Amino acid sequence: MLSVPTLILFFQSLWFVLNPFGIIYEDKIEIKWFMMNKRSWYFIDFKKTVGFEKGSLVAVYNDNEAFKLSLFGIKSSHKDLLRKEIDKKILESMAQRLA
């Protein structure tokens, strides 16, 4: 009875160790929470990031609606680095939108 949950936990742990938490592309960020679940956000949709709130990064859409990007599974030492990279890509996107 415990072999199936143990097997799932083993593969999920292996997934976290061997795969990156998030991948930043030229136009989007892809965050992988689970081996079968990933989500993408495009930088053109965001205006800025505000900060961290209870383990989530708060991003503001172009229509001033706040959204929490869950950072469950990322090292706390990497959160600031991820925010800096996201801010950099948002600024690049803003420059392309204005041009």
Side-chain angles (χ1 to χ4, degrees):
M1 235 157 79
L2 293 175
S3 62
V4 173
T6 304
L7 191 62
I8 292 172
L9 184 63
F10 170 74
F11 280 118
Q12 180 64 38
S13 300
L14 191 63
W15 176 262
F16 279 141
V17 170
L18 297 178
N19 286 304
F21 172 76
I23 301 173
I24 297 177
Y25 298 101
E26 285 293 320
D27 61 341
K28 67 179 177 176
I29 181 172
E30 182 178 282
I31 296 179
K32 301 176 182 182
W33 288 298
F34 183 66
M35 56 185 142
M36 303 296 179
N37 184 11
K38 60 184 175 182
R39 181 111 192 250
S40 297
W41 291 275
Y42 289 87
F43 293 118
I44 197 166
D45 297 335
F46 293 124
K47 181 167 51 173
K48 63 181 176 178
T49 59
V50 179
F52 296 102
E53 183 178 307
K54 297 181 181 176
S56 299
L57 177 64
V58 179
V60 178
Y61 283 110
N62 290 323
D63 60 355
N64 293 326
E65 182 181 340
F67 177 75
K68 292 182 184 178
L69 295 168
S70 177
L71 298 180
F72 175 76
I74 190 172
K75 290 182 182 179
S76 56
S77 60
H78 292 170
K79 287 181 181 180
D80 288 328
L81 179 63
L82 180 66
R83 181 180 180 198
K84 287 178 189 175
E85 289 298 319
I86 290 174
D87 286 340
K88 185 173 90 172
K89 291 293 185 176
I90 289 173
L91 288 175
E92 289 175 9
S93 175
M94 293 288 273
Q96 289 178 354
R97 285 184 249 171
L98 295 175

